[in-house]
Amino acid sequence: MPKALVIGAGSAGPAVAQLLTEQGWNAPLFEARSSLDRAEGLFLNVAINGRRVLRLLGAEERLLSDAHPAPLMEMWSGRGRHLATVPNGPAGSPADGGAVVRRGWLQEVLWDSAITAGVQIHPGKRLVGVEQNDRGVRAEFADGHVEEGDIIIGADGVGSLLRRQVAPEVTAEYTGLIGTGGFSRVPGLAPTVGVQRFVFGRRSFFGYLVREDGTVYWFANLTAPQLPSRDRSVSGEEILTRLQQVHDADPEPVPSILAHSTGSIGSYPIFRVPTSPRWWRGRAVLIGDAVHATSPSAGQGASLALEDAASLAAALGAGATDHERAFAAFERERRERVEKIVAYAASIDKQKKTSGNPISAAARDFLLPLFLRGATKDTRYDWVFDYTPPPVVAASDSPNGARSTP
Ligand SMILES: Cc1cc2nc3c(=O)[nH]c(=O)nc-3n(C[C@H](O)[C@H](O)[C@H](O)COP(=O)(O)OP(=O)(O)OC[C@H]3O[C@@H](n4cnc5c(N)ncnc54)[C@H](O)[C@@H]3O)c2cc1C
């Protein structure tokens, strides 16, 4: 049985491990974090292209059982004026809209799905070194554990260790934005049914949604040209105080959402990996954020990672006999699409950064409604969502039986 060592149990890792297992591979999954913590991370958008992969995994329905469906996104100015409504999915197809989920919930659903398919997940295993030769790969973990396999798949995120071996010249770029966010509950605030709202605040971009039960998911992007020093950890309270100052002149419900914030506040600098000259080297291949991290602005990070998982599993098929050919086919299929989406997300980041400048903000508030008039029927961006995973032909001894393209 061919063996793939899968590194990183975020979005891409569990998905590729499951699909390979279903094709007859031994695909153990190694994760640096020591346990699955539902509270880790905030929330993210899963677009229809990512949902199709979850469907292939048999996990879509469970994921959507605790999601905020958001087929539409509303843009508001810092003066409380509705600027535009745009689709969060292919235009004119609300059933194919995105869904916003807690990141911890996506993790749990993907892990459970992989375990059910027979994947062995090993938490607490941080990859620290890899060697490869013409017979196989040898991975070394921080706790001294060593594992051998035919190939190694780096699904180890934006700070990927495996990327140092595949493409050592590539480093993740800081976008100049700090993502912050959390949860809130504002008495009397009505649910934003089917919608996420975005406010071009006077000094910072703010996004929120209100679930049916009144829980608010919110985020704010702070512009910070210099990457904050790692030496100083900033407390959630300090971040909240800063956000309340930054958003004090913005329209309601922004100040109230911050005032009623509950639980911990997340804060992380946003990085991207716009391109990499190589996606694979020898027996090692990269997928997801490890090779093309995108800022969250296009709502595509998790969906692209899931797409990679499906495409790589299909390229590898049932055997490791010609892994280099499979890796090359995978890169050929994926590169143009993901680089285009990473660039698209970067162009959205630029719009967010202008909100501190009153002149460009006024120009944007004037122009955006003109550009985005009729956007809900504008099919120009449908290509972003245009991915259908290739069919996976299950191995006869797979516990889950055959699957077909959703
Ligand atoms: C803790 C966490 C919280 C996040 N929160 C958000 C959020 O709130 N909103 C948002 O839009 N995006 C968030 N992201 C990013 C988002 O999950 C990814 O952009 C997207 O899902 C792409 O998935 P991925 O599998 O490529 O990478 P990731 O989801 O980042 O997964 C990579 C995995 O690899 C593991 N890993 C890293 N290095 C090693 C190593 N050396 N050995 C073994 N394992 C390793 C990491 O612990 C992680 O589990 C978060 C990521 C993480 C890790």
Side-chain angles (χ1 to χ4, degrees):
M1 183 187 277
K3 183 170 176 184
L5 311 182
V6 182
I7 310 299
S11 306
V16 77
Q18 175 176 339
L19 293 171
L20 286 176
T21 302
E22 290 175 350
Q23 292 175 170
W25 287 70
N26 176 13
L29 179 54
F30 299 91
E31 166 56 46
R33 283 172 295 143
S34 54
S35 67
L36 169 64
D37 182 354
R38 276 201 67 168
E40 251 185 315
L42 295 166
F43 47 88
L44 43 75
N45 183 61
V46 181
I48 184 63
N49 42 316
R51 278 175 48 193
R52 290 192 189 108
V53 179
L54 286 156
R55 208 172 296 166
L56 180 72
L57 297 168
E60 185 193 23
E61 202 177 319
R62 183 159 179 239
L63 186 85
L64 295 183
S65 71
D66 187 6
H68 179 83
L72 294 174
M73 299 185 289
E74 288 178 0
M75 310 290 172
W76 291 73
S77 80
R79 293 174 188 279
R81 187 160 73 91
H82 175 246
L83 299 174
T85 299
V86 299
N88 178 22
S93 181
D96 288 337
V100 181
V101 297
R102 282 181 188 251
R103 186 187 180 274
W105 175 235
L106 175 64
Q107 281 277 262
E108 187 172 328
V109 168
L110 286 169
W111 280 42
D112 287 351
S113 183
I115 290 167
T116 306
V119 174
Q120 301 245 317
I121 303 186
H122 304 276
K125 297 279 180 235
R126 176 173 293 281
L127 181 77
V128 290
V130 183
E131 285 169 19
Q132 52 172 302
N133 59 34
D134 49 5
R135 287 188 312 283
V137 290
R138 186 176 178 280
E140 200 186 315
F141 296 88
D143 63 357
H145 179 81
V146 168
E147 191 84 15
E148 293 183 350
D150 296 298
I151 61 170
I152 186 163
I153 299 173
D156 48 349
V158 67
S160 172
L161 182 113
L162 203 63
R163 191 175 64 230
R164 283 186 224 157
Q165 184 170 102
V166 172
E169 65 275 53
V170 177
T171 47
E173 281 175 12
Y174 172 54
T175 58
L177 288 172
I178 308 279
T180 64
F183 303 94
S184 180
R185 188 172 279 273
V186 182
L189 190 60
T192 55
V193 179
V195 169
Q196 277 186 88
R197 292 215 172 109
F198 300 101
V199 181
F200 290 99
R202 297 190 191 185
R203 286 185 283 166
S204 155
F205 188 80
F206 193 89
Y208 72 96
L209 60 84
V210 188
R211 297 197 60 178
E212 297 277 2
D213 70 357
T215 312
V216 181
Y217 292 8
W218 64 266
F219 74 86
N221 289 134
L222 292 171
T223 302
Q226 296 300 319
L227 182 60
S229 153
R230 284 190 188 189
D231 309 339
R232 188 170 119 65
S233 68
V234 184
S235 72
E237 274 172 26
E238 280 178 81
I239 296 165
L240 188 57
T241 306
R242 165 98 204 275
L243 287 171
Q244 284 179 308
Q245 288 161 354
V246 165
H247 288 285
D248 63 352
D250 286 339
E252 287 292 351
V254 176
S256 292
I257 288 174
L258 291 171
H260 289 87
S261 188
T262 54
S264 57
I265 310 279
S267 157
Y268 51 93
I270 299 173
F271 288 90
R272 64 193 186 109
V273 177
T275 185
S276 170
R278 270 179 309 284
W279 284 36
W280 58 277
R281 187 189 287 269
R283 293 174 179 271
V285 64
L286 302 172
I287 61 175
D289 279 6
V291 69
H292 53 65
T294 169
S295 96
S297 294
Q300 281 287 337
S303 299
L304 288 183
L306 291 167
E307 288 186 12
D308 281 358
S311 287
L312 179 62
L316 283 164
T321 44
D322 197 348
H323 59 271
E324 293 202 354
R325 201 163 139 199
F327 292 167
F330 163 70
E331 179 183 341
R332 249 194 330 273
E333 181 198 323
R334 301 290 301 149
R335 180 185 277 281
E336 189 183 339
R337 169 169 169 75
V338 298
E339 289 184 355
K340 208 168 151 191
I341 291 178
V342 177
Y344 169 59
S347 70
I348 302 174
D349 285 345
K350 272 193 200 146
Q351 287 177 20
K352 287 179 174 178
K353 282 189 220 166
T354 60
S355 62
N357 175 333
I359 296 169
S360 53
R364 184 202 50 231
D365 291 354
F366 175 71
L367 292 172
L368 214 61
L370 302 177
F371 283 133
L372 294 178
R373 188 179 292 154
T376 50
K377 295 197 178 66
D378 182 351
T379 55
R380 259 180 308 169
Y381 295 100
D382 282 8
W383 61 269
V384 173
F385 310 97
D386 189 12
Y387 175 84
T388 301
V392 171
V393 180
S396 51
D397 61 350
S398 153
N400 278 6
R403 291 203 192 284
S404 57
T405 306

